[in-house]
Amino acid sequence: MVLLLLVFTTAIGFASYRSGQRTAEEFTIQLQNEVSRHILQYLGGYLATPRQVTQTNAAALSLERLTLEDWQVMGSYFWEQMQAFEIQTLFYSEAMEGQLLLSRQEDGTARLYRNTEEMDEWNMIPMSRQGRFLPASEDIPRSLMEILNQVAMQPASEPLWQHLPSGNLLAIAPIYGPTGDLRGTLGVETDIAPVGSFLRQLTLSQGGQAFLVDRQGELIASSAPQHLRDEVSQEGSGRELMDVLNSPNSTIRTAANVLLNEFGSLGNVQGTQILAFSQANRHYSMQVTPLRDEWGLDWLVVVAIPKTEFMEPIWLNLMIIGVLGLIATITAAVMGCQLATWLSQPLRQLTKSMAQLGRRSGSVTIPLVVDDSSQEVGVLGKSFNRLALRFQTTVARLEQENGALRETDRLKDLYLHNLAEEFRKPIEEAIERVQGLSDRPHEYSQQDRRDLNRLRKLGQRLLELMEDISDLTQIHSGQMTPQLTGVELETLLDEVVEAHRPLLQEANLDLERRDFPPPLRVTADREMLKQVLEIILENAIQFTEDGSITVSTAISAPMGRTSYHELPEAVIAISDSGIGIDPQQQEKLFQPFAKIEGCPESRRGPGLGLAIAANLVSLMSGKIFVDSEGCGQGTTVTILLPVSS
């Protein structure tokens, strides 16, 4: 009892630990997926605004609804967009005409800067919070010159994003004239600060971090409380983006180093990646998701979550299990000693008597000798005597009845086989005579010829029934053994389809082939497989009034297997658009002589075809399935066979 308790306590503790560990890992992955999804959704909406504004303004300028000549209209238009979309800066630069730039101020006002060929310097027009122009004039600030310098350094020939030295993003779109020449450039400055605020609002576990980094290693935004941009400004230089390896947050630095060690460069990260790393005795799970758009944006969304925090309740649970297991072990040791003294002697005697019964299993009754000093064990021994006698008597009777049933079954199969063989010859003779009469059509009326043709078909169906009964009895008695070889599936299907082409034409049905492209060979008995395909195709023709039949082949992974070294399975599917089968009736299809409810009497057969097909497929180590959504929905019969090596 003590050993069992120790084993069970250890097993329960280990199972609890493994289950908790899997739960923690699954929860970590779910949390990472959810956080990444929220970040991607937010960025998709946040960065879509400047793109949409740029594209809208580009369309207005291309249609000449906005011009630099009418700068007040364009300035008011820019001011309305700035108020509606909370944009920092909008500008338009036209090579031959000039430039127009609108900048948001911290107090809610705006400043409109314009410059033309006729003007020697920039002209600044303040705009009130209501969008009215105010008289004033000053040079353009150095911070706003960053935008114009960024465009001048690399004129845009297509829509793209540009990083400003201040860390903000600049959406740039070229404007082309009617002749296709570059007319000017539109730009919208977007502040990155709200992205960092959004990341800090995300619900992450203690110590978890989410951050954005570009492919060059510059930190765009993060959930860390520190500022992402260097606050040290040198003479003549503005603030620059911080390198991710220089981040004040140790988790972000460690995660960046892990990415560089794993991929060599951030530019080599392709697709979503899951990595793990450790820092300060804490284990982290990190998910990296690339973010790209059609304007050339290429960032990495990194979410790092510590798993140690999720494991703390699991360790507490293990400690509780250990303490309870120790208490139960001590209790079991004390109680076990007392119980052993009381039960060991009569149980030894009972075990001895049971061993005697085992050695003399051929005897009908073996009385167990049990000491009456233990009443419970004595009752148990007497009950065992009675049960042993009844069990042996029942087993003997069942063996006799089972032997009689097997003999009856064998005689039944032999009788049916002999009966089928006995009827085969007279049926064939009758068919030949009817065929001989049919060969002289001029001697009979049209009605007689129809009756002869019907009689021939009935004889043929009766002959097929005899053959089916003979095949079923041979399969059931084990006389039919498959000769497994490599069978080329496409060639065999060609033979079966061509043999049934007249039936398809007579039923006015279309047949479509969808063969697996490479030559597909299966391990099967060729004649058995041909018989199975003929049965299924004939059923499809028989139960389809109009429409089409589709024969397709494919391969799939072996069902219920996980090894990639095992050969796949070939899939043969024959689908029809016929009367279909009620799902509640489908389990009867493979039973001999089964009658399906709802099937028209004129199309109902003896019910042996699919039973024979299922047995033949089983002999070839294959599987067969029938699928139908219901009456009038068509039927699909699927065969799975091993692919030949």
Side-chain angles (χ1 to χ4, degrees), residues 208 248 435 509 537:
Q435 186 63 41
L509 297 176
L537 185 57

Side-chain angles (χ1 to χ4, degrees), residues 165-181:
S166 63
N168 289 341
L169 273 179
L170 185 63
I172 301 176
I175 306 299
Y176 291 93
T179 60
D181 56 335

Side-chain angles (χ1 to χ4, degrees), residues 380-395:
L380 178 62
K382 294 176 183 178
S383 300
F384 186 82
N385 265 333
R386 293 192 296 270
L387 289 176
L389 176 61
R390 293 178 184 176
F391 175 76
Q392 294 182 1
T393 304
T394 303
V395 168

Side-chain angles (χ1 to χ4, degrees), residues 124-140:
M124 189 277 288
I125 301 94
M127 298 184 69
S128 66
R129 296 181 181 179
Q130 292 75 30
R132 294 193 300 270
F133 294 102
L134 303 175
S137 175
E138 66 177 29
D139 293 336
I140 186 169

Side-chain angles (χ1 to χ4, degrees), residues 257-496:
N257 281 309
V258 171
L259 287 175
L260 292 175
N261 294 334
E262 180 72 19
F263 299 99
S265 171
L266 296 181
N268 296 331
V269 180
Q270 302 295 329
T272 301
Q273 304 291 334
I274 301 293
L275 302 174
F277 66 91
S278 299
Q279 179 196 357
N281 297 326
R282 303 185 75 183
H283 299 286
Y284 286 78
S285 177
M286 175 172 60
Q287 178 173 309
V288 186
T289 306
L291 172 62
R292 297 186 179 93
D293 66 1
E294 63 275 10
W295 282 39
L297 186 69
D298 195 0
W299 291 351
L300 295 178
V301 179
V302 184
V303 179
I305 296 178
K307 297 186 290 186
T308 307
E309 179 182 349
F310 302 136
M311 291 297 295
E312 292 178 356
I314 299 173
W315 290 115
L316 178 61
N317 186 32
L318 288 178
M319 186 176 66
I320 295 174
I321 291 175
V323 172
L324 293 178
L326 180 61
I327 295 174
T329 302
I330 296 174
T331 304
V334 175
M335 295 181 62
C337 292
Q338 297 177 355
L339 289 174
T341 304
W342 181 47
L343 293 177
S344 60
Q345 185 62 32
L347 286 177
R348 285 197 196 99
Q349 191 170 359
L350 178 60
T351 303
K352 182 179 179 180
S353 299
M354 294 177 69
Q356 293 177 359
L357 175 63
R359 288 194 298 268
R360 302 178 60 186
S361 57
S363 177
V364 178
T365 57
I366 300 293
L368 300 181
V369 181
V370 180
D371 192 356
D372 291 338
S373 61
S374 175
Q375 181 179 1
E376 292 81 1
V377 179
V379 173
L380 178 62
K382 294 176 183 178
S383 300
F384 186 82
N385 265 333
R386 293 192 296 270
L387 289 176
L389 176 61
R390 293 178 184 176
F391 175 76
Q392 294 182 1
T393 304
T394 303
V395 168
R397 186 177 71 252
L398 289 177
E399 288 180 350
Q400 293 177 355
E401 294 178 355
N402 193 27
L405 288 175
R406 285 197 297 267
E407 180 63 18
T408 302
D409 195 36
R410 186 187 68 82
L411 293 175
K412 181 260 296 180
D413 289 340
L414 180 61
Y415 173 75
L416 288 176
H417 179 72
N418 293 338
L419 184 66
E421 293 297 326
E422 190 71 22
F423 275 102
R424 184 194 301 270
K425 187 174 181 180
I427 294 174
E428 290 177 348
E429 293 177 355
I431 294 174
E432 291 178 359
R433 292 186 180 182
V434 172
Q435 186 63 41
L437 295 176
S438 301
D439 292 339
R440 296 176 293 179
H442 58 278
E443 298 182 3
Y444 304 99
S445 65
Q446 185 177 2
Q447 180 63 35
D448 291 338
R449 290 195 298 271
R450 283 197 297 267
D451 292 341
L452 288 174
N453 185 39
R454 182 182 178 189
L455 186 60
R456 181 180 58 81
K457 290 183 178 180
L458 291 175
Q460 192 67 36
R461 287 188 60 187
L462 186 58
L463 181 61
E464 292 173 356
L465 177 60
M466 294 297 104
E467 292 176 351
D468 290 344
I469 293 176
S470 178
D471 290 343
L472 193 62
T473 55
Q474 286 182 348
I475 295 172
H476 190 258
S477 61
Q479 298 177 7
M480 188 174 292
T481 304
Q483 301 296 326
L484 300 179
T485 58
V487 180
E488 188 171 343
L489 197 54
E490 185 175 356
T491 303
L492 182 60
L493 285 172
D494 290 341
E495 295 179 9
V496 174

